[in-house]
Amino acid sequence: MNSEIAGDKQYKKWLVEMKDRIRGAQIRAVISVSKELLNLYWELGKDILGKKALAKWGDGLIDQLSKDLSSAFPGNKGFSKRNLFYIKRWYSLYKEADPIVQQLVAQIPWGHNIDILTKTSSIEEATFYVRGTRCHRPIWRGTH
């Protein structure tokens, strides 16, 4: 009986449609998680800059925060000293940018944001590459 179902044209068509729906749901889930992560990073970058300025905690803030968050969330590499530095730098770069640019930045994966951040020297250049990446054309690869 199972071989009859597996060979049925209607079943095969339905199976293809079901696989597409599952893949679509998986992609939407990843996008949703990425969006939430970027929102968290935006707020974290804002807080880091604010605390460093207001509390005068200085350069030791990122070191201590990394230790404390890594301890509280073991296995989460997002709170490494290096990543917290990128978060602060990322927020610093885009905080004064046009809201449209901020929205675009929030729509590309964190790894792409880091690549753009580390390979550009101005907000204009970074915005150019963010727009290209958002259009699914990673035009910055191999240009730096």
Side-chain angles (χ1 to χ4, degrees), residues 100-136:
I100 293 171
V101 171
Q102 291 177 1
Q103 289 173 4
L104 290 173
V105 167
Q107 293 176 17
I108 63 173
W110 180 240
H112 287 58
N113 272 295
I114 291 174
D115 283 342
I116 292 169
L117 184 67
T118 59
K119 294 177 182 176
T120 59
S121 57
S122 70
I123 185 70
E124 294 80 17
E125 185 180 15
T127 300
F128 173 80
Y129 290 115
V130 166
R131 289 181 193 280
T133 301
R134 179 61 186 110
C135 295
H136 306 289

Side-chain angles (χ1 to χ4, degrees), residues 31-85:
I31 290 169
S32 179
V33 168
S34 179
K35 182 180 176 183
E36 289 301 317
L37 180 67
L38 291 173
N39 286 337
L40 171 67
Y41 284 177
W42 185 264
E43 292 301 316
L44 187 53
K46 182 179 179 180
D47 286 352
I48 289 170
L49 280 181
K51 297 296 182 194
K52 282 183 80 169
L54 294 176
K56 297 185 171 109
W57 288 335
D59 295 333
L61 173 62
I62 288 180
D63 288 336
Q64 188 61 49
L65 186 61
S66 175
K67 288 176 190 173
D68 291 338
L69 291 177
S70 295
S71 175
F73 302 98
N76 187 327
K77 296 178 183 177
F79 302 121
S80 69
K81 180 179 169 182
R82 181 181 203 164
N83 203 55
L84 291 177
F85 173 75

